Amino acid sequence: MWVLVAQVAWMLPAALYLGFLWRTTDEVDRSYPCRGGATCYSGPTTYLVLMLVFGGLGVAMAVGVGWLAVRWRRRSVERDRLVAEGLRIPAQLVGVAGTNTRINGRRVYRLTFESRALDRPVRVVERATAPPVIGLRATIAYDPAAPRRAVLVEDVEELISPMYLHKKEWREV
């Protein structure tokens, strides 16, 4: 997300500057030969095209950043609500799958926690940077009206870390 914010931070000012050049320049459009046999262009039309490209991409990225921020905020509010008010049931880890993502050289694992305490299974999928042992116990909070909206009450990394304290690569340096 911060990469998109950085892109917006330079693209929109660049588009404004190019728009200023487009509106205030006295030069005429011209083309001339560049290195390698290519043709280079200069003038108001070039400024207009670059302003539209940078401005359009900057606005698209700003919309993307806004959409992601709203989505993440809604997910955070929903998680906080479920942890505070949701029905809590015991669960255990039933699936661990490695992903293609790495953080600081460590593989990210997809963990599936499941509870069959009710008449239907309630599942939560979380991510962690260490593979825990199948059968690890945790607590799920969920909304009985919408059991698909379930969250793990515990922090996954804190839940798993005692299992790896004896391993050198797990300890933070």
Side-chain angles (χ1 to χ4, degrees):
M1 175 143 152
W2 293 114
V3 171
L4 293 176
V5 171
Q7 289 292 328
V8 170
W10 75 263
M11 279 187 152
L12 292 180
L16 289 173
Y17 177 69
L18 289 165
F20 172 77
L21 289 177
W22 171 60
R23 298 296 291 163
T24 60
T25 188
D26 292 350
E27 59 182 291
V28 294
D29 287 328
R30 65 185 188 99
S31 63
Y32 51 93
C34 297
R35 274 191 245 158
T39 303
C40 291
Y41 298 94
S42 176
T45 304
T46 304
Y47 300 142
L48 172 64
V49 169
L50 289 174
M51 177 198 67
L52 293 174
V53 169
F54 287 141
L57 288 174
V59 167
M61 287 185 191
V63 167
V65 165
W67 180 76
L68 285 173
V70 167
R71 185 171 173 220
W72 288 337
R73 181 66 186 141
R74 282 185 183 162
R75 197 174 283 173
S76 175
V77 167
E78 178 72 8
R79 180 182 176 12
D80 292 346
R81 183 187 70 78
L82 286 173
V83 168
E85 303 169 4
L87 181 62
R88 293 181 181 217
I89 53 175
Q92 67 176 218
L93 183 64
V94 295
V96 177
T99 66
N100 292 328
T101 304
R102 292 188 179 273
I103 298 175
N104 294 332
R106 285 191 256 164
R107 174 173 277 196
V108 175
Y109 293 89
R110 180 178 186 261
L111 313 176
T112 305
F113 289 88
E114 182 177 275
S115 175
R116 295 190 177 269
L118 305 170
D119 55 347
R120 59 184 169 208
V122 177
R123 288 186 190 91
V124 173
V125 176
E126 291 284 340
R127 305 277 192 270
T129 56
V133 179
I134 297 288
L136 179 70
R137 299 202 179 278
T139 305
I140 290 177
Y142 78 102
D143 182 356
R148 293 187 66 129
R149 292 189 198 142
V151 297
L152 201 64
V153 174
E154 297 92 350
D155 179 24
V156 176
E157 296 292 339
E158 287 180 15
L159 192 65
I160 296 170
S161 63
M163 299 167 60
Y164 292 92
L165 288 178
H166 65 281
K167 291 190 175 184
K168 182 181 177 186
E169 67 270 8
W170 181 253
R171 283 190 228 128
E172 297 297 322
V173 180

